[in-house]
Amino acid sequence: MASARQAGLMTTFGTEFQEQYQFTNTIKDLGFQDAPFLSHLKTYAFGSEQLRQLAAASLGFKWHYNVFPEAKTGDNAYMEGSDAPALENFKHDTMSNFFQIFKIGYGVTGTQGVAMSGDTLDYQRDQAWIGLRKDINKALLQNANAVKPVKNTTPGKTFGLAGLMGAHNEIDAAGKDLDEGMIEDICMMMWRAGVEVTHILMNSKQSKKLNKIIDTERRTNFGNTQFLGNKIDRIDNIRGIAKGGAVNIIDFDMPENAIYFLKMDDLGFVTLRDEVDKPIPSGRDSEEYQTSIEAALWVGTPMSVGQIKNLKTT
């Protein structure tokens, strides 16, 4: 089992990520509701400037995480005075990802710049940043496997949450409605790996179904389970939900038939390049710009995320 308790932010080159609060966080804050998942992620710069230069796009980056040992098969019983047991070899495991270049262009013609009211170029810039943020949010949720870039042939891609799901961290609802038992099962699965769920990510359809479960529990248990604003408190003291409850995030880039369970502190948005704007030399009677960011999703361990899949949507 993977342990998120000691998940390191260590890169291939042996340096820690550095938190940053510059342009990337600016575009995250422009429209919180337009990119809910991205807006909840911490942003990290990829190490020092020197390491950025060493980190060729084709290398990507990797990190280590601890793995909990399982109980031995059979009895762990020894005779008095017996020899020492065989030595165990406890190992960590690794995950890796590649950076993805996200771009968007915007601008105005010379005529638009004087004929239209207000700050036309500023308006185009604001809209472009919203569009870029939504593109990033969608990729971080929906991308499957990470793709290694090949120069002039294949663009690199970061994995998204969808690419991290598997038998080790998911419950198959098999077309049934969401119920409390499914929530208990996925939270227990993650808790056994050292993870407490802090955020629950879903589409509006599954959010309505979850609200019904919470409301039923509240009435059945005389208010023991509460739904306050955007927080879901413990449902019948479910093991694996963080103290104080888990934040319920509605994101329309989520599939309608799935719910993701996350330990958000184990996730991050890692930037290799954090560009603001660059003018595009066009030679035309216009002002044209492009905004580009090269970044990837970091997830501390494979068990920092989990899902209930194939839920009934009607």
Side-chain angles (χ1 to χ4, degrees), residues 95-226:
M95 294 179 69
S96 61
N97 202 1
F98 292 100
F99 293 102
Q100 179 169 338
I101 299 173
F102 299 90
K103 288 186 178 184
I104 197 165
Y106 67 92
V108 293
T109 66
T111 301
Q112 288 175 327
V114 297
M116 299 180 69
S117 61
D119 296 325
T120 304
L121 186 60
D122 288 344
Y123 174 77
Q124 294 297 322
R125 179 184 293 112
D126 288 346
Q127 295 300 103
W129 286 2
I130 291 172
L132 181 61
R133 186 187 61 257
K134 295 179 76 170
D135 288 344
I136 295 171
N137 191 82
K138 181 178 179 181
L140 298 185
L141 285 175
Q142 298 184 7
N143 279 7
N145 298 327
V147 176
K148 181 178 181 178
V150 179
K151 190 174 182 180
N152 300 323
T153 303
T154 306
K157 280 190 175 183
T158 175
F159 60 60
L161 291 185
L164 297 173
M165 304 304 176
H168 64 285
N169 66 348
E170 66 183 17
I171 301 293
D172 191 345
K176 298 177 182 178
D177 262 326
L178 177 69
D179 61 43
E180 185 179 336
M182 296 175 189
I183 299 172
E184 289 177 338
D185 288 346
I186 189 64
C187 289
M188 178 59 73
M189 184 183 295
M190 297 172 70
W191 180 77
R192 289 191 62 208
V195 175
E196 283 192 325
V197 174
T198 62
H199 291 72
I200 302 175
L201 193 61
M202 69 202 79
N203 192 283
S204 60
K205 284 190 176 181
Q206 297 303 329
S207 179
K208 292 176 182 178
K209 294 175 183 289
L210 179 60
N211 287 350
K212 289 181 180 179
I213 293 174
I214 296 168
D215 184 61
T216 299
E217 285 293 321
R218 182 175 62 238
R219 287 185 280 107
T220 302
N221 294 294
F222 304 101
N224 182 47
T225 299
Q226 301 177 9

Side-chain angles (χ1 to χ4, degrees), residues 31-41 133-142 161 200-207 247-260 262 264:
F32 183 89
Q33 297 303 324
D34 295 324
F37 177 55
L38 175 63
S39 298
H40 279 84
L41 292 174
R133 186 187 61 257
K134 295 179 76 170
D135 288 344
I136 295 171
N137 191 82
K138 181 178 179 181
L140 298 185
L141 285 175
Q142 298 184 7
L161 291 185
I200 302 175
L201 193 61
M202 69 202 79
N203 192 283
S204 60
K205 284 190 176 181
Q206 297 303 329
S207 179
V247 178
N248 176 7
I249 308 171
I250 297 177
D251 195 310
F252 289 101
D253 287 322
M254 279 289 297
E256 292 186 347
N257 66 343
I259 297 179
Y260 291 169
L262 316 171
M264 196 63 77

Side-chain angles (χ1 to χ4, degrees), residues 224-243:
N224 182 47
T225 299
Q226 301 177 9
F227 182 65
L228 302 172
N230 65 342
K231 294 214 170 184
I232 166 179
D233 205 0
R234 294 171 184 244
I235 302 177
D236 197 21
N237 298 317
I238 285 180
R239 181 74 74 179
I241 292 288
K243 184 177 181 180

